[in-house]
Amino acid sequence: TDRKKLHTAPVRQVFRLRPFHVLVATGGGYAGYRKYKDYKLEQLEERGIEVPVRLASEWEVALYKSVPTRLLSRAWGRLNQVELPTWLRKPVYSLYIWTFGVNMKEAAVEDLHHYRNLSEFFRRKLKPQARPVCCVHSVISPSDGKILNFGQVKNCEVEQVKGVTYSLESFLGPRISTEEMHFSQAPPGNSFQQQLVTKEGNELYHCVIYLAPGDYHCFHSPTDWTVSHRRHFPGSLMSVNPGVARWIKELFCHNERVVLTGDWKHGFFSLTAVGATNVGSIRIYFDQDLHTNSPSYSKGSYNDFSFISNNNKEGIPMRKGEHLGEFNLGSTIVLIFEAPKDFKFNLKAGQKIRFGEALGSL
């Protein structure tokens, strides 16, 4: 009578797969398949073969989003901060250097034993003379990377790669009030694009730069301008490599991003740092209140922060080439700015560019 009953569950219940596990496994497998397809497309591009555009359907995007990339990116960030034993540092970093073609001769500290963890290695600084800043052209590249697209913004749509666009308003969010920005008062009936243009005869231009894992991960001010406002969009952290950018429409609008807006001598100017898989950490040096890739967020939400206050009527002045921020691994920088009609880009799509080199000028 004192014996206790032992309750056992059927084997099928013990090994029952939950919907979440199935979704993650399926999504992860599909993401791996997409990575392989992207690799094949890049090989075709290198051989000069034009690849037709095939956009992802809604269910494919939803399946990709089911992969817990935000959670994985936070885990990756913590792993990067684990201090490596001195004897292990050179083999680990050497493998990374060989895999992604890192040029350590440009690093301020070439000794691999100096970097205590992967995070320090990713964010390594360069020798002062490694990236001379172009003084002739008015806009320079803010980072190392690959030019995905550039040109005029037309019909409130911006190209992320050739033939694949996203909405300008969805990307930047609602127009900031004229009290916070030095914008002219545009008629309410004008399009979002027209409202951003402050001077008659000017046009809106854009440039997209993709930072690969082997690139220098800091980014700098592309011109002399004043940053007045920051808008942070929490979101997904899907890959932003050229293959995925060609496959998912409005990819940059889905992903987490930090939009810095302000003005330069020709009017409106903005720089957006777009997050990606394993790049949940976006840091802006003068913005200590910014925290990216938080565990929870409301879908479609964003938060604003103004750098204009009673004590600072102008905002944050930035000089061309000045340190602005950094990624934890590599991602994408999007510039959207106003300039006169005779502004010309000195670029071609697909070219490699380094921080300090010219993007364009008048």
Side-chain angles (χ1 to χ4, degrees), residues 19-88:
F20 174 76
H21 299 154
V22 174
L23 197 61
V24 170
T26 307
Y30 192 73
Y33 167 74
R34 285 305 315 175
K35 285 284 187 182
Y36 172 74
K37 294 289 288 184
D38 296 338
Y39 171 74
K40 300 298 288 185
L41 288 174
E42 287 178 8
Q43 285 189 320
L44 292 175
E45 282 186 340
E46 289 175 359
R47 287 188 280 171
I49 301 174
E50 188 171 346
V51 181
V53 175
R54 189 194 77 81
L55 294 178
S57 62
E58 290 185 9
W59 73 265
E60 287 178 309
V61 176
L63 187 58
Y64 194 173
K65 281 187 172 183
S66 71
V67 181
T69 51
R70 292 177 63 84
L71 177 62
L72 293 172
S73 297
R74 285 195 296 274
W76 177 251
R78 290 177 183 174
L79 179 64
N80 287 350
Q81 294 172 3
V82 174
E83 185 169 342
L84 297 175
T86 306
W87 62 269
L88 189 58

Side-chain angles (χ1 to χ4, degrees), residues 176-322:
I176 303 161
S177 66
T178 54
E179 289 78 13
E180 295 185 27
M181 300 291 292
H182 307 300
F183 294 162
S184 60
Q185 186 64 44
N190 284 10
S191 68
F192 182 80
Q193 178 178 336
Q194 292 171 326
Q195 290 178 21
L196 295 181
V197 178
T198 65
K199 298 179 182 179
E200 187 175 353
N202 281 2
E203 297 289 346
L204 209 59
Y205 297 86
H206 74 99
C207 182
V208 183
I209 305 169
Y210 166 68
L211 288 74
D215 288 327
Y216 167 57
H217 299 307
C218 296
F219 50 93
H220 301 245
S221 177
T223 191
D224 295 335
W225 64 308
T226 301
V227 184
S228 304
H229 189 272
R230 180 257 291 161
R231 177 168 284 163
H232 173 214
F233 291 85
S236 302
L237 288 173
M238 294 184 283
S239 171
V240 292
N241 72 48
V244 177
R246 188 186 298 106
W247 179 56
I248 297 181
K249 183 178 174 64
E250 299 204 330
L251 171 64
F252 300 154
C253 297
H254 289 294
N255 272 17
E256 180 154 4
R257 59 198 182 278
V258 177
V259 182
L260 300 178
T261 51
D263 61 291
W264 69 319
K265 60 183 178 181
H266 299 297
F268 172 79
F269 198 96
S270 73
L271 180 148
T272 301
V274 183
T277 307
N278 295 336
V279 195
S281 173
I282 302 171
R283 182 184 173 195
I284 305 298
Y285 294 138
F286 57 75
D287 189 355
Q288 301 302 316
D289 296 322
L290 175 65
H291 300 286
T292 57
N293 196 13
S294 299
S296 61
Y297 72 98
S298 300
K299 186 177 180 181
S301 66
Y302 62 85
N303 57 76
D304 288 334
F305 184 86
S306 175
F307 297 109
I308 296 178
S309 63
N310 293 331
N311 298 326
N312 182 3
K313 300 291 185 182
E314 298 298 323
I316 308 294
M318 297 296 301
R319 303 294 296 175
K320 183 168 64 174
E322 186 178 351

Side-chain angles (χ1 to χ4, degrees), residues 1-10:
T1 57
D2 294 331
R3 291 179 182 175
K4 293 181 180 179
K5 293 183 178 179
L6 180 64
H7 295 278
T8 58

Side-chain angles (χ1 to χ4, degrees), residues 99-213:
T99 303
F100 296 108
V102 178
N103 184 3
M104 284 302 293
K105 291 184 179 179
E106 297 177 331
V109 180
E110 296 184 40
D111 182 12
L112 298 181
H113 295 101
H114 169 80
Y115 303 101
R116 294 173 298 176
N117 51 48
L118 283 165
S119 183
E120 286 188 1
F121 178 72
F122 291 147
R123 296 180 288 105
R124 64 194 176 276
K125 297 298 185 287
L126 300 179
K127 294 174 182 174
Q129 67 273 21
R131 296 289 187 276
V133 175
C134 177
C135 299
V136 178
H137 293 78
S138 55
V139 184
I140 63 168
S141 175
S143 65
D144 289 6
K146 179 180 180 180
I147 301 294
L148 293 190
N149 214 297
F150 63 92
Q152 283 191 19
V153 178
K154 298 180 180 179
N155 302 319
C156 294
E157 291 282 322
V158 187
E159 280 194 316
Q160 58 191 28
V161 294
K162 185 178 179 181
V164 182
T165 63
Y166 56 94
S167 163
L168 178 65
E169 186 168 7
S170 296
F171 181 69
L172 295 179
R175 184 169 177 261
I176 303 161
S177 66
T178 54
E179 289 78 13
E180 295 185 27
M181 300 291 292
H182 307 300
F183 294 162
S184 60
Q185 186 64 44
N190 284 10
S191 68
F192 182 80
Q193 178 178 336
Q194 292 171 326
Q195 290 178 21
L196 295 181
V197 178
T198 65
K199 298 179 182 179
E200 187 175 353
N202 281 2
E203 297 289 346
L204 209 59
Y205 297 86
H206 74 99
C207 182
V208 183
I209 305 169
Y210 166 68
L211 288 74

